[in-house]
Amino acid sequence: VQLQASGGGLVQPGGSLRLSCAASGRTFSMYTMGWFRQAPGKEREFVQAISWSGGTTDYSDFVKGRFTGSRDNAKNTVYLQMNTLKPEDTAVYYCAASNRIRATRPYEYLYWGQGTQVTVSS
């Protein structure tokens, strides 16, 4: 599976962005898909994950109520809608694919995209 993340950019605090992650391969719908982020000097951290059917989602505490994950298996794409962005959300955001039913840790993911930069600043 090859993953391509996009949609990052510069946004003011309180603004919104929608990240997309396009996947290649016919088995996309079999994978749990996750989003992670990594800020300079910090470890990669879990943001959100969605099960293969979209029926189960997990969120880190710091994005609950602000970010929403979704997927369209017909388009081999997952999305991360980010609202009410804060400066501390600034990071490179990565999408990843796991063959586990639920996965929130980096080591549980098999495939990774290249990352897209999100900068929240006035």
Side-chain angles (χ1 to χ4, degrees):
V1 176
Q2 292 186 324
L3 305 174
Q4 180 76 34
S6 62
L10 174 64
V11 63
Q12 292 186 342
S16 298
L17 281 175
R18 188 194 196 199
L19 304 184
S20 299
C21 176
S24 64
R26 302 176 186 176
T27 59
F28 168 78
S29 62
M30 297 174 59
Y31 291 94
T32 291
M33 297 298 297
W35 289 95
F36 290 78
R37 69 186 187 186
Q38 189 166 18
K42 295 187 177 181
E43 292 186 353
R44 190 168 297 189
E45 61 182 0
F46 171 74
V47 176
Q48 185 271 338
I50 187 167
S51 63
W52 69 271
S53 67
T56 301
T57 54
D58 290 297
Y59 294 89
S60 64
D61 288 342
F62 50 77
V63 303
K64 281 182 181 177
R66 299 190 297 125
F67 292 10
T68 302
S70 62
R71 68 189 295 162
D72 185 338
N73 287 339
K75 295 182 178 180
N76 279 12
T77 303
V78 292
Y79 305 97
L80 185 66
Q81 178 67 43
M82 306 187 296
N83 298 328
T84 319
L85 283 161
K86 305 175 181 180
E88 51 264 43
D89 293 318
T90 295
V92 177
Y93 283 71
Y94 299 89
C95 61
S98 172
N99 60 359
R100 300 189 181 207
I101 296 175
R102 299 183 76 165
T104 62
R105 294 174 173 82
Y107 71 83
E108 295 175 319
Y109 284 79
L110 301 173
Y111 305 102
W112 290 83
Q114 87 291 355
T116 184
Q117 176 71 47
V118 172
T119 302
V120 184
S121 175
S122 56

